[in-house]
Amino acid sequence: MAKAAILESVGGLTIGEVELADPGPHEVLIDTKACGLCHSDLHFIEGAYPHPLPAIPGHEAAGVVRAVGSEVKTVKPGDHVVSCLSAFCGHCEFCVTGRMALCLGADTRRAPDAPPRIMRADGSAPVGQMLNLSAFCEQMLIHEHACVAIDKAMPLDRAAVIGCAVTTGAGTIFNACKVVPGETVAVVGCGGVGLAAINAAKIAGAGKVIAIDPIAEKRDLAQVLGATHAVDAMTDDAVDQIMKISGGGVHHAIEAVGRQASADLAVKILRRGGTATILGMMPLDCKVGLGALDLLGGKKLQGAIMGMNHFPVDLPRLVDFYMRGLLDLDTIIAERIPLEKINEGFEKMKGGHSARSVVVFD
């Protein structure tokens, strides 16, 4: 039996017990030790993004391997691991061209007639597995390509936030944007993902790092993590301020909120030849574009799902950055809470005044 936060219907999570199956040939059973609360989970909880219910959300997790399937070769019992929602197959077009985050995981999905992997504790009905992980649970049963082993000296509460927020934010700087030392980076939105991008921009040697957020506490956090300048996104002259700071526009504008206005702002503050990268999960009817003069000026617009990560390689490197004192995960984590307080954690997220909340399991 395992305790889990179950999304029974749109609106909130209910604490209940579930039973996980034994690991299949390529599956790994993990004792979950910590899981971050991500805004992406909130989109599913509030119904902005549809998903069959009931299901267990949660996808930003770390834990210890309890058991592995007969064909698993990448991890073993006792390994400390971080999970990743972008499980990869290893031989599709995207994988073999180095774009593993775009892989649809065809070989990691279970057959439609496969028995359920998570059941109600009484065995009465299956419970859906969200994003192939369902980490708001004391245990996870996932494909071996959805986790990677890490240094056991790494604290697992900090390791958890690398699984999504840091992989996405830092990965965007290193992989999608390939920031060159001296370039100017602006980050719109200073939640977990945005703060990770700011910290990574500092590590990459960006000349100026501009944090853009309407909340003063988050702008302060951003400056602790490496922002050289901070701008209130709600001021009437926000664009003018950024243009003045950057000397005519930024090389990279990263949208880390998931709102139309913030995506439009990211495009507005680009210099000629600059790139806007959209990370946030915007409402499904939103569109972002470049005008004719933007295109003539060589400006570019891109998405970067999960920071276009190479998870098995990137994750251990990010752990190493933390262990060497380069990556600041302690500032990103605002609080540690038990599973029973998960709904309170999401209410704090809606308020927008703090960074990451992390559920820690005994």
Side-chain angles (χ1 to χ4, degrees), residues 156-180:
L156 289 172
D157 58 339
R158 266 126 311 170
V161 299
I162 299 181
C164 178
V166 178
T167 290
T168 301
T172 295
I173 295 294
F174 300 138
N175 297 324
C177 295
K178 296 181 172 61
V179 171
V180 173

Side-chain angles (χ1 to χ4, degrees), residues 94 118 186 201:
F94 299 116
I118 307 175

Side-chain angles (χ1 to χ4, degrees), residues 184 208-210 228-231 238-249:
T184 299
K208 292 178 181 176
V209 183
I210 306 168
T228 59
H229 300 79
V231 173
V239 172
D240 291 338
Q241 288 185 54
I242 297 162
M243 288 296 182
K244 183 176 180 181
I245 293 167
S246 61

